Amino acid sequence: MNMMTPLNKIRLLLSIGCLTVATLHAQVVREIEVSGKASYTDHISLQKDASDKDLMVKFVFDEAKELLTVSLISYRSLFVFREDAHYRQIVNWRHRLKPDKLPYVVQADEGSVFELTRSLRKSLENPRKKYVFRRWIEYDGLHPAPMAYRMVNDYIEQPFNVLEKGVYVSVALRDILLLDESKKSRPLKRRYELSFLKDLDRMYRITIRRDPCFGKEEETEMARKALNSVRKAFHSFVQEFGINSTLHNRELADLFDQMKELLNKQFPRHSETHACEDTQRNWDAYNACSDSISQMSCHYEPLQTENMPPVDADYLLAKSRLLDQATSRYLLTQNKVERQDLILSCQTIIHEVTIALDERGLAEEAGTAMEIYRKSVNFYKKNCVPAKTQR
């Protein structure tokens, strides 16, 4: 049986210790989403049982400017390093941080003093002179927008330009310091204490949800206009010939074929697909009208006039009842699709009666029925047809 030597035991304990430390300091990773309409906010407790050390991280995306803004908000004043900074280069022997020694330009009131408290100095790894303060933010797929940096901040904010209209970017947060004005502070000589430092070691993998309709206003308007045009053409075509009709006039049947061919060329199906729902919805409705025009048919049948009796009262009264029923139904419903169907039905009835009267004439005893039919037509036109389209 193999016995573990003292040296192997030490190595095992050291490896377990290293693994434990790595686990305790594992980076926190957040998978988040932002859009032009929805920001993201994360709440971080810098120290347990200390609500004044809570921190709020906010991500706001402005799609028009291609700008992602990262903000830190706290009850306490904040300070961050914009670049890595060595302790011995920026902190003097009196434990004061010198703004003019930072590796970038920072604004501070003249005469201000920034001192690292004893508790903060004790929290740093030894030897302190070799300690490196980490820049507060790292990023990928982004470019920081120029801005002025201040020593004392009610909140920290950094706007970023999103590179190449990217969808996936990342932000990592590191060292954050809390800063308080000292009781020894004077109006002409402000004194501040850097009292707490926290390495957030937190990564945000950000998915930018872009609005598929953003910047597509012209496309959407073009689709809307095309839909209005094809609807008007379709309704006029139906009003003139009916949906599926039988014509006894060869010239009228030829005219139907010519108009259908013309409309098919004028309003072909739209084959492209669009990510913007509004645009696609308009084109889908356009294609439905285009298909309806293509599916319309007209059957030509020579009229056998010698066997066709004139239009009688029963025929006119039956058509009058259908018109009255459709018009009444139109007045009762608010459904746009149903109303349009009712209008098409009435137009078809009127068209059929007009053709019948032209081809067969009116029976002598049907005069009263004709007056009733005309009243039904006027009732329909008054309530269902806009004035500009009445004929």
Side-chain angles (χ1 to χ4, degrees):
M1 180 177 179
N2 294 329
M3 299 295 293
M4 183 175 290
T5 64
L7 181 59
N8 287 338
K9 288 182 179 180
I10 293 173
R11 287 173 177 169
L12 177 61
L13 289 173
L14 286 174
S15 65
I16 293 174
C18 291
L19 179 61
T20 302
V21 170
T23 303
L24 290 174
H25 292 83
Q27 185 183 53
V28 176
V29 178
R30 291 273 191 274
E31 303 282 349
I32 70 172
E33 293 184 2
V34 295
S35 70
K37 299 179 181 179
S39 60
Y40 177 86
T41 302
D42 192 14
H43 296 270
I44 303 173
S45 178
L46 301 180
Q47 188 177 50
K48 292 181 179 179
D49 304 323
S51 59
D52 65 330
K53 291 186 174 68
D54 288 350
L55 184 71
M56 185 168 69
V57 184
K58 190 169 185 178
F59 297 85
V60 178
F61 177 61
D62 185 332
E63 189 161 4
K65 298 179 180 179
E66 282 294 315
L67 211 63
L68 177 70
T69 301
V70 183
S71 304
L72 304 181
I73 304 168
S74 174
Y75 296 110
R76 310 267 289 274
S77 294
L78 298 169
F79 173 73
V80 295
F81 291 95
R82 306 290 176 165
E83 300 290 344
D84 289 353
H86 292 265
Y87 184 97
R88 63 184 176 185
Q89 293 177 351
I90 63 170
V91 181
N92 66 14
W93 63 275
R94 299 176 70 180
H95 315 304
R96 292 178 177 177
L97 190 154
K98 308 296 289 182
D100 59 335
K101 298 296 183 181
L102 289 168
Y104 52 88
V105 177
V106 62
Q107 297 177 355
D109 294 336
E110 187 176 355
S112 296
V113 174
F114 302 90
E115 183 177 356
L116 277 67
T117 63
R118 181 179 179 84
S119 61
L120 175 58
R121 299 198 306 272
K122 288 181 66 176
S123 69
L124 304 180
E125 298 173 1
N126 285 317
R128 282 199 300 270
K129 289 185 178 182
K130 294 185 179 181
Y131 187 83
V132 177
F133 295 103
R134 286 174 286 263
R135 62 189 297 185
W136 78 283
I137 193 166
E138 298 169 353
Y139 43 85
D140 184 52
L142 303 167
H143 182 75
M147 61 177 296
Y149 303 142
R150 294 187 56 82
M151 285 294 297
V152 182
N153 304 275
D154 293 329
Y155 60 92
I156 303 291
E157 183 175 275
Q158 176 61 62
F160 289 95
N161 297 111
V162 181
L163 299 178
E164 299 178 353
K165 293 190 176 182
V167 175
Y168 302 102
V169 299
S170 65
V171 166
L173 301 180
R174 298 307 301 264
D175 287 357
I176 308 295
L177 292 92
L178 298 182
L179 178 146
D180 301 294
E181 189 166 358
S182 170
K183 295 179 181 178
K184 301 177 183 179
S185 184
R186 297 292 181 268
L188 298 180
K189 190 171 184 178
R190 300 287 184 184
R191 301 176 68 92
Y192 298 93
E193 295 179 343
L194 295 163
S195 57
F196 183 84
L197 181 147
K198 177 76 170 181
D199 178 9
L200 297 182
D201 199 13
R202 184 171 292 238
M203 166 77 77
Y204 295 91
R205 293 175 181 156
I206 307 166
T207 299
I208 299 175
R209 297 294 180 192
R210 296 180 174 276
D211 181 359
C213 296
F214 183 80
K216 305 293 185 182
E217 292 80 8
E218 289 187 6
E219 289 185 9
T220 303
E221 179 63 14
M222 182 185 298
R224 187 189 67 79
K225 288 181 177 179
L227 174 59
N228 288 340
S229 296
V230 74
R231 275 178 172 167
K232 289 179 181 178
F234 173 62
H235 293 155
S236 297
F237 197 28
V238 170
Q239 188 172 6
E240 191 69 30
F241 294 100
I243 296 177
N244 294 298
S245 56
T246 299
L247 299 178
H248 303 295
N249 185 302
R250 166 55 76 181
E251 291 182 357
L252 198 59
D254 290 342
L255 179 60
F256 172 90
D257 293 337
Q258 292 171 12
M259 287 188 64
K260 180 177 178 180
E261 182 180 1
L262 180 64
L263 292 177
N264 284 335
K265 290 180 179 179
Q266 187 177 353
F267 302 106
R269 289 192 104 259
H270 184 81
S271 58
E272 294 182 33
T273 57
H274 301 267
C276 176
E277 290 185 5
D278 291 341
T279 304
Q280 189 62 50
R281 190 182 302 112
N282 284 335
W283 281 122
D284 287 343
Y286 167 93
N287 284 338
C289 281
S290 177
D291 291 342
S292 295
I293 292 173
S294 298
Q295 293 165 8
M296 285 179 65
S297 64
C298 165
H299 175 64
Y300 170 66
E301 183 178 294
L303 182 64
Q304 303 297 326
T305 55
E306 64 276 9
N307 298 322
M308 296 285 292
V311 175
D312 59 16
D314 290 340
Y315 176 85
L316 290 173
L317 293 175
K319 296 299 183 182
S320 295
R321 283 194 296 272
L322 291 175
L323 280 175
D324 292 341
Q325 290 170 1
T327 303
S328 298
R329 179 59 188 162
Y330 179 95
L331 294 173
L332 291 173
T333 183
Q334 296 299 319
N335 185 286
K336 292 183 179 180
V337 175
E338 186 179 0
R339 279 191 159 194
Q340 193 60 55
D341 289 341
L342 290 167
I343 288 177
L344 291 177
S345 296
C346 290
Q347 290 173 347
T348 301
I349 292 169
I350 294 171
H351 177 75
E352 289 176 354
V353 173
T354 300
I355 295 297
L357 289 171
D358 288 344
E359 295 175 346
R360 297 158 52 191
L362 180 66
E364 292 183 4
E365 71 280 4
T368 302
M370 187 64 193
E371 289 299 320
I372 294 173
Y373 168 75
R374 285 174 180 159
K375 289 181 180 179
S376 296
V377 172
N378 290 333
F379 179 55
Y380 153 72
K381 288 183 176 181
K382 180 180 178 181
N383 292 283
C384 303
V385 183
K388 63 179 182 179
T389 63
Q390 293 184 19
R391 307 198 311 176

